[in-house]
Amino acid sequence: MSGVCVYLVGAGPGDPELLTLRGARLLEQADVVVYDYLANSALASHVKPDARMIYVGKKGFTQHVTQDEINELLVHEARALEAAGGGSLVRLKGGDPFVFGRGGEEVLALREAGIPFEVVPGITSGIAAPAYAGIPVTHRGVASSVTFITGHEDPTKNASAIDWPALARLAQVGGTLCFYMGMRNLELIAQRLVENGVSAETPAALVRWGTTNAQQTLVATLADVAQRAQEAGFGAPAIILVGPVAGLRERMSWFEERPLFGQTVVVTRSRSQASVFSDRLRALGADVVEFPTIAFAEPDDFAPLDAALQRIESYDWVVFTSVNGVDAFFARLALYGGRCDARALADAYVAAIGPATAKRLEAYGIRPDAVPGEYRGEAVFDALAEASAEFGLNLEDARVLIPRAQVAREALPALLERAGAQVDVVAAYKTVLPPAEGVDTLVTRLKAGEVDAVTFTSSSTARNLLELLGENRDALNCARLFSIGPITTATLAKAGFTDVVEATEYTIPGLVDALVAERLEGGSR
Ligand code: SAH
C-alpha cells in the first residue's frame, strides 16, 4: 500500500500541551483522525478544518464501539484513503497507545491487512497524573521501582492474571504500585494488598482527571482510601497510586496550588484581543471560557480612510489606538498594490497607544516612535507632545492621522486640535455585536454554578454581554463580576449590577491581580 500510513499517536494525559511535537505535526497533516473519549478535545485545534474526525469513544464499562469494530474501521478507512490517492490517518489515543491502550491489537490488525503504520508514544497518565499531583513515581531512597497494573480485572476471580503476592512484596520495600482503571475495584485492590502483607498504613493516592483543570487528588492510606473516596464522591478516570511516594505530595504539590486553579473565568474581549488576557489567566491555573462580545467589521464608509491613504506622505504623525486599527489600516493599504506596506509610513512618526498595539506594529516592520505609559487620551497627548519636541517637530502645525474604530472617544483628537494640530480621524473598522451563538450554553453554565468569574475589560464588553444575554442577564448574579475600571463599573451599575470587583490598576494585569486577590480572600464561590 503506497501513500497511506496509519499513525497511532498518544495524545497525552489531558493537558493539551502534553502532546508530543511529532504528534502535533502528524495531527496537522492528518486527513482522517480516529479518536476516543480520553483524547482531549482541545487537540482538535491541531487538525485541518477539512479532516474527517471519527469518534470511537468508550466510556469505561459501557462500551459503545468494540475493539474489533475499531480495528476494522482503521483498516477500512486506510483502504479508502489509498483508493482516493493516499493520505494519512491518525489514531489518537489517550495517554500512551501501548499502555493499557489496546494499541497493540490495532497494530496487529493493520499488519495483517498489510497497512503501513507508525507508533508515536504519549505521556502516560500513570506518570503524568501523579506528577501534576506532586508525586514522583520513583524517589531516591524511597521507591526504587514502579509497576503499572490494570485495576480493571475482577480481583475476586480465581485465575487472576495479577500476582498479588508479588505486588505486595514490591510494595513492602517501598515500590510504587500504579493502577489504571481501578476505581470500581478500589476497595478490593486495597484489601488484596493488605491481605498479602502490605501495611494498612501505606499511603495511597487517587488522582482524578490528572493534568486537567478538573484534577482532584486524595491522599489516604490503604486502610481508609476506599471509604474516603466514597465519601468524596471520587470516581473514574483516576490513577490509584500505592506507596510511600504518595506521602511526598504534601511537600511537592504545585499544580493545584496555582492561584486560580479550579476557577472558571469568562473572558468577554474580542477573539483577537483575548489571547494575552486568557494566557495570563491560564498560566495561573484558571479554566478560561472565551465568550467574545465584540467583533470587527468594515466601517460604513471607507472614503475618509482612502482619502487619507492617498496623501499618506503628508502626515507628520500616524497614531494607532488599537491592535485591530493596525490590522485594518494595513489591510486597506495593501489594496493599493505595489509598495503599499510599511514603506508608506516612511516619512511619518508613528505612535501606538500601548504595548500590544506597538507589538502589532512591529509585525508590520514598524517600531513606533512613541508609546505612552498609560491608555488615557491625556497621556497619549503628552507622549506625542514630548516626542514631537524631541524630534524638533512643532505640534502646532503638525498633521496627525488617527485611523481607528468608527465610534470612539474624542479626548485625544480634541486635545491635539486645541494644541493647533490638524487632525484627521478616520474610521478603519467598526465594532459590532457578534452573533449570539453560545449564549444558551453560557447561561446554562452560569446557572449551574460552573462559572466563578465574568470579566469586563471595557464598557462595551459589559454593554454587549448584557445585550446578548437579554432577559437572561440575571444569570450573571451566579458569578462574581470583575471590572477593569470605573467607567466599566459604572456601566454595570447602571444595568443594576452593583456588586462588582474593580481592578486597582486599570489594566489587564491589574484585572488579573484583582481575580487573584479575590480568590485569596476566599471571596469567590
Ligand atoms: N493509554 C492510557 C490509559 C488508558 S486506560 C494512558 O497511557 O494513560 C484508562 C485509564 O487511564 C483510566 O481508567 C485511568 O485510570 C487512567 N487515566 C487516563 N487519563 C487519566 C487522567 N487524566 N487522570 C487520571 N487517570 C487517567
Side-chain angles (χ1 to χ4, degrees):
M1 253 196 176
S2 63
V4 170
C5 192
V6 174
Y7 300 94
L8 262 77
V9 176
D15 179 343
E17 301 229 300
L18 292 180
L19 173 70
T20 62
L21 293 175
R22 181 159 170 74
R25 196 160 59 79
L26 289 169
L27 274 176
E28 277 156 22
Q29 293 164 356
D31 301 295
V32 180
V33 179
V34 179
Y35 65 105
D36 45 48
Y37 173 58
L38 286 173
N40 194 303
S41 60
L43 297 170
S45 62
H46 292 284
V47 176
K48 287 191 291 197
D50 59 341
R52 214 148 66 78
M53 305 281 287
I54 305 175
Y55 178 67
V56 290
K58 312 183 258 187
K59 256 187 164 182
F61 286 71
T62 53
Q63 221 148 351
H64 301 300
V65 188
T66 67
Q67 188 60 46
D68 283 343
E69 283 166 343
I70 295 174
N71 298 351
E72 276 166 34
L73 176 87
L74 293 177
V75 170
H76 173 81
E77 290 295 332
R79 292 202 166 126
L81 270 179
E82 195 201 26
S88 77
L89 185 157
V90 166
R91 167 69 174 116
L92 191 65
K93 301 173 81 74
D96 181 276
F98 279 4
V99 180
F100 303 124
R102 304 191 74 169
E105 292 161 65
E106 294 174 12
V107 159
L108 290 173
L110 292 166
R111 168 72 28 103
E112 190 162 314
I115 296 165
F117 63 85
E118 291 187 14
V119 180
V120 182
I123 298 181
T124 189
S125 55
I127 295 174
Y132 271 48
I135 303 173
V137 290
T138 71
H139 190 70
R140 199 176 154 80
V142 177
S144 50
S145 75
V146 52
T147 310
F148 299 113
I149 310 131
T150 170
H152 184 67
E153 198 181 300
D154 183 354
T156 56
K157 87 176 175 204
N158 288 333
S160 171
I162 294 176
D163 186 342
W164 294 101
L167 292 181
R169 272 195 304 282
L170 285 166
Q172 277 163 344
V173 293
T176 304
L177 304 182
C178 177
F179 292 90
Y180 292 64
M181 300 173 284
M183 285 308 286
R184 283 186 180 222
N185 291 327
L186 177 60
E187 193 172 353
L188 285 163
I189 289 170
Q191 257 177 32
R192 284 275 173 279
L193 291 172
V194 174
E195 277 164 20
N196 282 279
V198 184
S199 159
E201 295 313 307
T202 306
L206 308 175
V207 188
R208 183 186 203 185
W209 289 121
T211 79
T212 74
N213 286 314
Q215 174 172 311
Q216 279 176 287
T217 307
L218 189 157
V219 181
T221 63
L222 278 181
D224 64 2
V225 68
Q227 196 196 332
R228 291 204 29 215
Q230 201 188 2
E231 282 164 10
F234 216 98
I239 289 294
I240 303 168
L241 209 70
V242 177
V245 286
L248 294 169
R249 168 175 159 87
E250 213 178 311
R251 283 183 290 152
M252 293 197 192
S253 175
W254 60 276
F255 183 69
E256 293 165 47
E257 313 305 319
R258 294 168 308 153
L260 295 179
F261 176 75
Q263 296 279 294
T264 300
V265 180
V266 173
V267 169
T268 54
R269 304 193 97 186
S270 70
R271 182 91 50 213
S272 57
Q273 290 176 310
S275 62
V276 176
F277 187 29
S278 300
D279 288 349
R280 265 176 193 267
L281 294 171
R282 286 195 189 103
L284 294 170
D287 196 1
V288 175
V289 178
E290 284 187 3
F291 188 83
T293 57
I294 294 175
F296 300 113
E298 292 188 345
D300 295 335
D301 183 9
F302 265 125
L305 175 60
D306 286 340
L309 290 174
Q310 297 288 355
R311 51 167 192 270
I312 190 72
E313 66 293 330
S314 71
Y315 291 103
D316 300 299
W317 275 107
V318 181
V319 182
F320 291 95
T321 58
S322 71
V323 170
N324 200 62
V326 174
D327 287 337
F329 176 88
F330 283 101
R332 192 69 186 171
L333 179 64
L335 294 182
Y336 286 78
R339 287 186 165 253
C340 285
D341 49 24
R343 286 170 292 182
L345 296 179
D347 297 327
Y349 290 108
V350 175
I353 194 165
T357 307
K359 198 160 162 231
R360 196 72 195 146
L361 278 167
E362 283 187 24
Y364 291 93
I366 292 176
R367 263 180 292 148
D369 305 287
V371 186
E374 245 186 286
Y375 295 79
R376 289 175 312 113
E378 292 75 8
V380 182
F381 174 78
D382 290 346
L384 284 177
E386 196 177 311
S388 295
E390 189 185 320
F391 302 142
L393 196 83
N394 195 351
L395 204 53
E396 220 165 274
D397 41 42
R399 294 195 52 150
V400 183
L401 173 64
I402 310 182
R404 59 174 200 180
Q406 191 165 302
V407 180
R409 285 199 289 149
E410 292 306 325
L412 177 63
L415 287 165
L416 285 165
E417 270 164 5
R418 210 174 306 151
Q422 199 183 322
V423 186
D424 290 340
V425 177
V426 300
Y429 66 95
K430 71 172 174 186
T431 60
V432 293
L433 202 63
E437 60 196 35
V439 171
D440 293 344
T441 315
L442 180 65
V443 170
T444 310
R445 293 195 69 182
L446 280 163
K447 287 187 175 161
E450 287 172 18
V451 174
D452 300 283
V454 181
T455 59
F456 298 97
T457 44
S458 66
S459 271
S460 27
T461 59
R463 254 191 320 272
N464 289 6
L465 182 65
L466 291 168
E467 190 171 337
L468 287 168
L469 288 174
E471 56 192 26
N472 281 317
R473 55 174 60 184
D474 284 351
L476 285 178
N477 289 320
C478 304
R480 205 98 181 77
L481 307 185
F482 289 81
S483 150
I484 197 166
I487 302 173
T488 305
T489 307
T491 303
L492 287 165
K494 224 160 76 189
F497 295 95
T498 47
D499 189 10
V500 174
V501 182
E502 187 177 288
T504 312
E505 189 200 317
Y506 311 152
T507 59
I508 293 292
L511 190 55
V512 173
D513 289 345
L515 279 149
V516 171
E518 185 71 8
R519 176 78 189 281
L520 290 178
E521 283 164 24
S524 68
R525 297 167 314 105

